[in-house]
Amino acid sequence: QSQNKEVMVYPNPTKDFVYIKTEDNNLSNVKLYNLAGTLLKEVQSNMVDVSSLSKGIYLIDVNGIKTKIVKE
């Protein structure tokens, strides 16, 4: 498996779900953190339900690649 794969997280900002697209289209190991670094969710999926989260900025870790997302 190659390193530094391209990861796309969309839509961003979002209200309910974020979708994850990777170069190889495999299911992703996704971890969702708040900005304090607390793990809020961990899923093995290409979709994450963030509808229950408060508005704000979160960090999503997809197979080790971190991206900021905004929850509206």
Side-chain angles (χ1 to χ4, degrees), residues 36-71:
T38 305
L39 180 63
L40 303 175
K41 283 188 181 214
E42 185 168 7
V43 295
Q44 191 79 26
S45 175
N46 287 338
M47 182 186 79
V48 182
D49 180 357
V50 295
S51 60
S52 63
L53 299 177
S54 302
K55 291 181 180 183
I57 298 172
Y58 295 88
L59 202 59
I60 195 161
D61 180 328
V62 181
N63 300 330
I65 300 169
K66 294 177 177 64
T67 305
K68 280 185 183 171
I69 62 165
V70 178
K71 166 68 167 60

